[in-house]
Amino acid sequence: MSDTTYIAFLRAVNVGGRTVKMERLRELFTELGLGEVRSYIQSGNVFFRTGESDRAALTRRIEQHLEASLGYPVPTMLRTVEEVADLLDAEPFAGHEAGPDTRLVVVFLSEPLPEGYELPQRSAKGDYEIVGADPGAAYVVMHLQGGRMNTNPGAVFGKSYAGQGTGRFLHTLHKILAAARKA
């Protein structure tokens, strides 16, 4: 079986006082026997290769190792390089543009949104709008208020969503994909 290159999108890394140097994060992934481990910027994006085909088991193994090593849970969303490329090629934000007061955020999901979750959905405060979703990601337009994002994009789904989410700005996701493709 050939190896697959994954991008691990980690939630809760280098936010809220939980600081992890990328060198340490790469060591933790290497300890799991994963190959060609690299990272991109400080927000918890790790690239690696593996022949493991059971993504759910691999995700659990990574999450358990990170929690045991770091002392807190680190929800992990794994996507292949091809999946991220396909997502970007689909132009999920067609008709929306980033600007001085608007950010486009892809929120990677640990599980699909609940059945019947209506989209698009706009927050009562008008600070975000969920403009679309597929089983692995939701597409959120953040409207800055007072020059700030007042809502965590990974937490916009409310109590009806039992899964986890971690967001990446669309422009950053393009850079993550380019970095993941480099040998």
Side-chain angles (χ1 to χ4, degrees):
M1 168 178 277
S2 66
D3 282 356
T4 299
T5 300
Y6 280 101
I7 304 171
F9 295 99
L10 309 178
R11 183 172 182 197
V13 170
N14 292 335
V15 294
R18 295 178 171 173
T19 303
V20 182
K21 292 192 181 308
M22 291 302 100
E23 180 180 358
R24 176 67 178 133
L25 203 53
R26 289 188 301 271
E27 288 172 0
L28 292 171
F29 275 73
T30 301
E31 288 170 5
L32 290 167
L34 304 171
E36 300 176 36
V37 177
R38 297 177 293 130
S39 59
Y40 182 78
I41 64 177
Q42 298 294 319
S43 59
N45 308 290
V46 179
F47 319 130
F48 62 90
R49 293 184 62 76
T50 183
E52 294 182 49
S53 60
D54 186 336
R55 187 184 314 206
L58 178 59
T59 300
R60 281 191 303 277
R61 197 163 72 88
I62 292 168
E63 289 177 337
Q64 289 168 353
H65 186 62
L66 293 176
E67 183 170 4
S69 300
L70 300 174
Y72 55 87
V74 181
T76 303
M77 279 47 87
L78 296 180
R79 301 295 182 269
T80 67
V81 168
E82 293 80 16
E83 288 167 342
V84 174
D86 289 347
L87 179 154
L88 292 172
D89 287 346
E91 299 183 19
F93 291 101
H96 300 277
E97 287 191 34
D101 294 322
T102 305
R103 302 293 184 268
L104 306 179
V105 181
V106 175
V107 179
F108 291 97
L109 305 172
S110 63
E111 59 186 73
L113 292 174
E115 188 104 7
Y117 194 90
E118 295 200 27
L119 296 172
Q121 189 172 112
R122 190 174 180 92
S123 70
K125 295 180 194 175
D127 56 341
Y128 68 85
E129 182 178 3
I130 306 167
V131 297
D134 57 46
Y139 310 105
V140 182
V141 177
M142 302 297 296
H143 302 285
L144 278 59
Q145 297 180 339
R148 299 175 41 117
M149 284 193 333
N150 297 321
T151 303
N152 173 353
V156 298
F157 309 109
K159 292 181 171 56
S160 66
Y161 181 63
Q164 298 285 331
T166 188
R168 299 297 183 273
F169 291 123
L170 181 63
H171 67 276
T172 303
L173 190 56
H174 281 281
K175 293 175 185 177
I176 291 168
L177 178 61
R181 284 178 162 162
K182 288 184 181 177

